[in-house]
Amino acid sequence: MEIPKLHIIQHSRCIALLFLLQFSSLHFPSLGYNVPDKYFISCGSDNSVNESGKVYAAESKLDASFSGSNTERNQSSVPSPLYQTARIFRRESWYKFNIDLKGTYLLRLHFFPFSSPSNLSSARFNVSVPGFWLLQNFNGTNDTNSNSASVKEFFMEISPPTFRVTFRPLESSFAFVNAIELFVLPLHLISDKVSFFKPIGGTTPYSGGLYSRVLETKHRLNVGGQHTKDLLLRNWIPDDIHLMYTGNAKNRSPYNGEIGYHVDDDSDGPNAARYTAPTQVYGTAKETNLSVNATDFGLFNITWALPVDNKTDHFLRLHFCDYLSSQGGLTYFELSIYDALVMQVNSDGNVSNELPAPYYYDFVVNSDDNGHIKVSLTPNRTALNPSAFLNGLEIMKVIEPSNSVPPDLEEADSNHRLPLLLGSVLGGLVLAIVVVLLGFLWRFKMRKEKPVENSDWLPIPVNAGGSSHSRLTDITSHGSPLPNINLGLKIPLIDLQLATKNFHESQLIGKGGFGNVYKGVLKNGMTVAVKRSQPGSGQGLPEFQTEIMVLSKIRHRHLVSLIGYCDERFEMILVYEYMEKGTLRDHLYNTKFPTLSWKVRLQICIDSARGLHYLHKGAAGGIIHRDVKSTNILLDENHVAKVADFGLSRSGPLDTQPYVSTGVKGTFGYLDPEYFRSQQLTEKSDVYSFGVVLLEVLCARAVIDPSLPRDQINLAEWGLLCKNKGTLQEIIDPSIKDQIDQNSLRKFSETIEKCLQEDGSDRPTMGDVLWDLEYAVQLQRGANAIQREPYEDSSSNVSASFQLPNVRRLPSLSTLSEADDTIVRHDESDSAVDYVFSQLKIDDAR
């Protein structure tokens, strides 16, 4: 196969390298259709890869320059050689293709976040083609099977001369892709004209046609059969998991003869060509099971329910092939969508009578708000052969054009700059002249008219509401909207309603002071936690604003990251990635989770300390969390810890002052007593709170327990007392006592004692705490990697190994308004609330 030339273009450096092969023998009925050899690309690869009978060309053989992007190579096993490498994009980039023929094309993108230094699973990006968003806020993972690649398949009309697929990383993140396929399809594989299903039953022509849209594959089922792949390399999977009332259907005996494709590749339906669906699909089927009571046909509907996006148009294709009847027209039955009759199947005179003849019917269906499309087949009791059957089913999401897709950055060609500059200048002059003339005419007209003294037009009241009303852009009492809010993270309220089934109780996974937390699934399939304030209340607005400002500006693998937010219709909603293992406290006491080992607990403490250390020192000016506790430390599926909930955060003290004066906020049991007395906030307040967390990890009990004797109620006071009396061993969690090395325990307990000092100046920095915890791990392992005496004080030393990268300076959070009254939280109900938050797994801050 001739190797095509590929080009990836960056907005910082645009190089016009294009594919050189030309299409041949396509769209000519006399020559027939064969899947083209281009464009099949193994992204980031030095070698071509053979997969499913196709050769995916290596980028390294394309003589292309990849300015601003890099290659990642797999470090573990993968399901296919195609996923051994990936192309990484740190900024907006695109692939550009030469297009010779106008037609319907299939674009297939492969994503597999294998283990790599960049941590591909932390990527967040959008993918677009001109005028359409294909993927938004995508992370490249397969939500149904983490060991399989995520393959996204799109059908679209493309015209010459060129076509671009653009990858747009989200802020502080990156994009990647493992493989790309782009090739023209046979004529009439998908027709522009299609019927639209009406909710009351029947059909009407679909307005605008399909060629003005993009189709994204959602389901492709081999009904009654097994997994197979067709000539266009499309995957067909079994239908059983989508079948309702399984007793009503049975698999037909497979057909071993020849399927009669009675039309050529370039003919239009309803009769199928060999590229419509393979013989493995048309040679198997599910049919009505009438063995129980053949007289009551009403009980024998065969029904499939397939998950789709709510309130969205979907293209539905149903495949039929009657390979049991001896002559045409004997087996006919009713097709219903959402229980509304659409048509009689197999009674169409256009279907070939030469059985077995494959055929299909297409519809566009607007899905309801239940998240499924339901298709039913019902036998006709008057038919000579009373049965119903289905061989295959496809559902594709209809993607509408979007004006929000940014135009692709143009190639920096100096030859084009002069005409563009002259055109801009001339256009500006013409516009200025027009504006002056219009202004003159308007003033002349106003002089001739009498002034209007009274007017029926009044300002629209704020609470009259439009879905676009925003709390964050309201004019404040100071006369200006809140600065520095990242509007690029806004998610429409309707999307969050669909994701959470309109905040249904079945999706509720937690409650807290801010409001309820719901599990949701966004349009792109990402599972998220949706933290919603009490609708209509004014409480929590400063915390809402602070959370957005802090998390939209900082990135660290041990700090939770914000997916998005919504502030429409007086709502305050924060969206985070769903958290598999919940909060740290969920695993310590009063839990059904397995007990955490001492080594795992130590690593969780180190992860948390790293996040807080970056918060204090990595973000220019520093940020104080102000609510460090075990319910704000979250664990992913591998027990990697991240610090969460930045609603009470404040920017740290400036160089000219040692503290920040502020009203007291935090949670009883974790609250720094010095801060409580003086209302002077420093980084050492977080250190105190973290010391309580360390003690909580060691003892696995609540920080405040009124049921205990007076001197034991407060865990921090009780722990220090036991440490001074030499009885700390007696209050350690019994499940880990035998696992702890005594030297490791000594270092860990000394770290707790230093963190809980009454005077903040006597406490270590978070960097010192991190050093000591790392040392405790080495002692636990019995290693001598750290040459340091066990009793050496580390409060004034920070290991040189903990150096932070350069981080862009944050806007000051001092612009946030804050009430002067004291707010102190009780930690009664937080255990369920923080079940849900995670971060984009960005390797140490970028």
Side-chain angles (χ1 to χ4, degrees):
M1 184 189 80
E2 185 179 354
I3 302 296
K5 285 198 173 182
L6 165 69
H7 184 213
I8 300 177
I9 304 178
Q10 304 291 347
H11 75 268
S12 62
R13 183 180 175 189
C14 302
I15 307 172
L17 297 174
L18 306 175
F19 289 89
L20 301 180
L21 282 183
Q22 302 297 317
F23 286 107
S24 62
S25 302
L26 300 180
H27 285 281
F28 295 96
S30 60
L31 298 177
Y33 173 85
N34 290 302
V35 177
D37 288 332
K38 69 171 190 178
Y39 299 100
F40 290 80
I41 307 163
S42 180
C43 301
S45 177
D46 293 329
N47 301 295
S48 296
V49 175
N50 195 314
E51 176 71 14
S52 300
K54 281 292 179 183
V55 176
Y56 291 74
E59 283 184 349
S60 61
K61 298 179 181 179
L62 302 178
D63 266 344
S65 172
F66 305 106
S67 173
S69 66
N70 61 286
T71 298
E72 291 285 354
R73 298 188 181 280
N74 172 52
Q75 298 176 348
S76 60
S77 61
V78 292
S80 163
L82 198 59
Y83 307 132
Q84 291 283 353
T85 60
R87 176 62 58 185
I88 308 295
F89 309 107
R90 301 291 178 183
R91 60 188 64 186
E92 179 181 316
S93 312
W94 60 81
Y95 284 81
K96 187 172 183 178
F97 306 91
N98 269 347
I99 300 298
D100 297 324
L101 297 172
K102 180 179 180 179
T104 302
Y105 283 72
L106 187 150
L107 172 66
R108 196 178 282 133
L109 305 175
H110 297 252
F111 305 95
F112 186 78
F114 55 69
S115 176
S116 73
S118 292
N119 189 11
L120 296 183
S121 61
S122 67
R124 291 294 184 277
F125 54 96
N126 300 334
V127 180
S128 67
V129 296
F132 294 89
W133 288 114
L134 301 185
L135 300 170
Q136 291 186 275
N137 201 9
F138 184 61
N139 64 358
T141 59
N142 187 328
D143 295 319
T144 60
N145 186 352
S146 60
N147 294 321
S148 298
S150 177
V151 180
K152 298 297 183 180
E153 191 177 85
F154 305 92
F155 297 79
M156 64 195 74
E157 186 80 358
I158 300 178
S159 299
T162 60
F163 175 72
R164 289 200 281 193
V165 182
T166 305
F167 294 81
R168 305 176 189 272
L170 298 187
E171 184 178 359
S172 301
S173 190
F174 61 96
F176 78 96
V177 64
N178 301 86
I180 297 178
E181 304 169 41
L182 178 69
F183 56 89
V184 70
L185 294 169
L187 285 173
H188 308 302
L189 181 71
I190 298 177
S191 176
D192 184 37
K193 304 301 180 183
V194 65
S195 298
F196 180 75
F197 165 74
K198 297 184 295 184
I200 59 174
T203 61
T204 187
Y206 183 52
S207 176
L210 289 178
Y211 291 173
S212 61
R213 279 96 165 175
V214 170
L215 302 180
E216 177 189 358
T217 300
K218 291 296 184 181
H219 303 281
R220 185 174 290 115
L221 306 181
N222 183 11
V223 178
Q226 301 300 316
H227 180 276
T228 189
K229 185 169 285 191
D230 63 21
L231 296 171
L232 299 175
L233 306 183
R234 298 174 299 178
N235 281 307
W236 299 75
I237 65 173
D239 67 302
D240 301 273
I241 62 172
H242 303 295
L243 186 66
M244 302 174 66
Y245 323 120
T246 55
N248 290 4
K250 64 179 181 179
N251 288 342
R252 269 191 174 185
S253 300
Y255 180 68
N256 296 321
E258 182 178 352
I259 298 296
Y261 292 104
H262 297 292
V263 296
D264 59 35
D265 298 340
D266 295 325
S267 297
D268 204 354
N271 292 296
R274 62 194 179 104
Y275 282 99
T276 309
T279 57
Q280 294 92 330
V281 170
Y282 286 126
T284 58
K286 269 196 171 61
E287 64 180 344
T288 309
N289 182 10
L290 298 175
S291 60
V292 179
N293 185 355
T295 60
D296 191 351
F297 296 99
L299 297 177
F300 291 101
N301 293 345
I302 313 177
T303 301
W304 292 264
L306 296 101
V308 293
D309 293 350
N310 294 359
K311 298 295 185 183
T312 303
D313 284 349
H314 289 80
F315 174 72
L316 173 64
R317 172 167 287 183
L318 301 154
H319 297 269
F320 301 95
C321 183
D322 190 351
Y323 56 76
L324 291 186
S325 298
S326 58
Q327 61 185 40
L330 293 183
T331 303
Y332 59 94
F333 44 90
E334 295 177 353
L335 165 65
S336 299
I337 300 176
Y338 290 127
D339 299 321
L341 178 63
V342 181
M343 62 177 296
Q344 288 276 352
V345 177
N346 216 17
S347 61
D348 192 331
N350 292 326
V351 176
S352 173
N353 289 330
E354 299 179 36
L355 299 181
Y359 56 98
Y360 61 91
Y361 293 108
D362 293 340
F363 306 96
V364 171
V365 179
N366 186 264
S367 55
D368 63 13
D369 56 2
N370 292 320
H372 289 82
I373 285 180
K374 190 167 72 170
V375 177
S376 302
L377 303 176
T378 306
N380 191 307
R381 66 175 65 242
T382 63
L384 296 177
N385 184 12
S387 184
F389 65 89
L390 181 65
N391 301 77
L393 190 153
E394 297 178 75
I395 291 183
M396 304 179 195
K397 176 184 174 181
V398 178
I399 301 177
E400 299 287 347
S402 174
N403 293 327
S404 66
V405 179
D408 290 317
L409 298 171
E410 296 299 327
E411 300 175 15
D413 187 342
S414 59
N415 293 331
H416 295 151
R417 290 181 179 177
L418 182 58
L420 181 61
L421 179 61
L422 290 175
S424 300
V425 171
L426 292 176
L429 290 174
V430 172
L431 180 62
I433 293 171
V434 170
V435 170
V436 171
L437 289 175
L438 289 176
F440 177 79
L441 292 174
W442 178 78
R443 292 183 62 184
F444 178 76
K445 179 181 179 184
M446 292 299 293
R447 288 176 179 176
K448 294 181 64 177
E449 294 179 354
K450 294 182 179 179
V452 179
E453 297 179 359
N454 297 300
S455 176
D456 295 330
W457 294 99
L458 298 175
I460 300 175
V462 172
N463 59 5
S467 63
S468 62
H469 175 76
S470 169
R471 286 178 176 270
L472 302 184
T473 54
D474 279 344
I475 301 301
T476 66
S477 59
H478 301 289
S480 62
L482 187 76
N484 301 319
I485 289 297
N486 189 338
L487 300 178
L489 291 177
K490 291 189 71 172
I491 299 176
L493 178 60
I494 183 63
D495 287 356
L496 297 181
Q497 289 175 307
L498 295 174
T500 60
K501 299 181 180 178
N502 201 19
F503 303 102
H504 194 271
E505 288 184 0
S506 63
Q507 303 299 108
L508 184 65
I509 55 176
K511 294 183 179 182
F514 184 82
N516 293 339
V517 182
Y518 300 86
K519 182 178 180 180
V521 180
L522 299 178
K523 286 183 176 181
N524 63 6
M526 178 189 293
T527 303
V528 293
V530 181
K531 185 177 175 184
R532 183 193 190 198
S533 72
Q534 188 67 27
S537 73
Q539 300 179 356
L541 181 58
E543 289 85 354
F544 178 66
Q545 296 167 338
T546 303
E547 186 97 355
I548 296 171
M549 288 185 63
V550 171
L551 289 182
S552 65
K553 297 297 182 182
I554 60 176
R555 286 291 185 273
H556 191 276
R557 67 176 309 212
H558 296 300
L559 297 178
V560 68
S561 290
L562 190 69
I563 300 297
Y565 70 91
C566 176
D567 62 331
E568 295 178 19
R569 299 182 184 175
F570 302 95
E571 294 275 3
M572 292 186 294
I573 302 174
L574 297 168
V575 183
Y576 307 83
E577 186 177 359
Y578 185 74
M579 186 60 180
E580 288 292 334
K581 297 292 186 182
T583 72
L584 172 58
R585 194 177 76 174
D586 290 338
H587 294 262
L588 294 178
Y589 49 91
N590 299 329
T591 178
K592 297 180 181 178
F593 289 109
T595 301
L596 297 177
S597 69
W598 174 239
K599 289 183 180 179
V600 171
R601 297 188 197 196
L602 268 179
Q603 189 57 52
I604 289 171
C605 294
I606 289 172
D607 292 346
S608 307
R610 284 175 178 161
L612 290 170
H613 180 44
Y614 170 70
L615 203 64
H616 290 174
K617 301 300 183 185
I623 295 174
I624 304 172
H625 187 282
R626 207 160 44 146
D627 198 19
V628 177
K629 55 185 177 181
S630 59
T631 52
N632 283 341
I633 295 174
L634 314 173
L635 307 179
D636 73 5
E637 57 188 3
N638 298 315
H639 292 101
V640 175
K642 297 113 181 171
V643 179
D645 198 344
F646 297 85
L648 298 184
S649 297
R650 286 297 306 272
S651 57
L654 303 174
D655 295 336
T656 57
Q657 62 186 71
Y659 58 83
V660 177
S661 296
T662 175
V664 178
K665 295 187 180 182
T667 302
F668 279 124
Y670 300 91
L671 197 62
D672 172 15
E674 183 180 63
Y675 169 43
F676 186 80
R677 291 192 305 269
S678 66
Q679 298 191 29
Q680 295 178 355
L681 180 68
T682 71
E683 295 171 356
K684 299 298 183 70
S685 298
D686 281 352
V687 173
Y688 182 92
S689 302
F690 189 66
V692 179
V693 172
L694 295 180
L695 193 56
E696 193 178 359
V697 167
L698 184 65
C699 302
R701 58 147 281 191
V703 294
I704 299 292
D705 189 346
S707 66
L708 296 174
R710 183 182 182 88
D711 59 346
Q712 300 179 24
I713 290 177
N714 186 299
L715 177 61
E717 295 176 359
W718 176 237
L720 286 179
L721 180 62
C722 292
K723 173 72 167 59
N724 294 330
K725 291 169 58 179
T727 59
L728 185 63
Q729 188 78 23
E730 298 177 6
I731 67 172
I732 294 176
D733 182 2
S735 67
I736 60 170
K737 271 188 179 181
D738 296 336
Q739 303 174 20
I740 306 179
D741 176 84
Q742 290 306 304
N743 287 326
S744 177
L745 175 60
R746 185 182 301 113
K747 193 63 187 175
F748 192 82
S749 61
E750 288 174 355
T751 305
I752 293 174
E753 185 177 26
K754 288 186 287 187
C755 290
L756 297 181
Q757 290 299 302
E758 189 78 11
D759 190 337
S761 61
D762 294 332
R763 300 171 198 153
T765 66
M766 194 55 66
D768 300 330
V769 175
L770 177 56
W771 202 105
D772 287 341
L773 292 174
E774 292 275 12
Y775 189 31
V777 168
Q778 296 298 330
L779 292 172
Q780 180 66 32
R781 294 171 180 168
N784 296 318
I786 300 179
Q787 302 298 323
R788 188 169 180 174
E789 294 300 323
Y791 294 99
E792 183 180 349
D793 191 343
S794 64
S795 61
S796 61
N797 298 289
V798 181
S799 170
S801 64
F802 302 116
Q803 295 182 2
L804 290 167
N806 293 328
V807 180
R808 182 181 55 181
R809 184 173 182 86
L810 293 177
S812 172
L813 299 184
S814 61
T815 54
L816 293 176
S817 61
E818 180 169 23
D820 293 331
D821 57 327
T822 299
I823 299 178
V824 182
R825 296 179 177 174
H826 292 270
D827 201 26
E828 298 173 354
S829 61
D830 289 349
S831 61
V833 183
D834 293 323
Y835 219 97
V836 291
F837 307 127
S838 174
Q839 68 158 22
L840 307 178
K841 299 176 183 176
I842 308 297
D843 287 339
D844 296 331
R846 283 188 294 277

